[in-house]
């Protein structure tokens, strides 16, 4: 699944303090934020939607080429239809 970034703002002094004290406990700020975001995702996104997203991620590589082929077939059919109409 494609990763995306988010940006949040925090008071600079507070951010420096949290970084400093997390370093003392060998905690990684980015990892902690990712863990917190995952918990929010699990809290607010219904389980049926999460399952759908998880299944879509597994099937995406197999489906994408088939979808592209269908689009090519439609485009070719439309072009053939246009040629047939122009010939008549």
């Amino acid at each position: 699944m494609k990763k995306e970034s988010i940006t949040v703002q925090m008071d600079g002094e507070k951010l420096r303090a949290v970084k400093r004290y997390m370093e003392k406990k060998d905690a990684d700020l980015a990892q902690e934020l990712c863990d917190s975001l995952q918990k929010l995702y699990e809290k607010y996104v219904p389980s049926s939607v999460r399952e759908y997203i998880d299944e879509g991620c597994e099937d995406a590589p197999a489906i994408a080429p088939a979808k592209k082929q269908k689009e090519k077939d439609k485009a070719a059919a439309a072009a053939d239809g246009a040629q047939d109409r122009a010939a008549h």
Side-chain angles (χ1 to χ4, degrees):
M1 181 179 293
K2 182 181 178 234
K3 302 283 184 178
E4 294 194 25
S5 297
I6 60 171
T7 302
V8 295
Q9 294 186 355
M10 182 178 189
D11 178 77
E13 190 172 339
K14 290 179 181 180
L15 180 59
R16 285 186 293 280
V18 76
K19 284 180 178 180
R20 178 180 303 136
Y21 288 98
M22 287 182 79
E23 285 176 4
K24 289 181 179 185
K25 296 188 179 224
D26 292 323
D28 180 48
L29 178 60
Q31 185 60 51
E32 292 285 336
L33 290 171
C34 287
D35 292 346
S36 295
L37 193 55
Q38 180 65 30
K39 288 177 185 172
L40 290 171
Y41 171 77
E42 292 169 2
K43 179 178 179 179
Y44 290 104
V45 178
S47 61
S48 59
V49 175
R50 294 194 315 263
E51 287 175 20
Y52 176 80
I53 291 171
D54 290 342
E55 289 172 4
C57 292
E58 295 168 3
D59 295 340
I63 292 173
K67 184 177 179 182
K68 287 181 182 179
Q69 185 60 44
K70 284 183 183 179
E71 291 173 1
K72 286 180 184 178
D73 292 346
K74 282 184 181 179
D80 289 343
Q83 288 176 351
D84 289 343
R85 286 189 298 274
H88 295 288

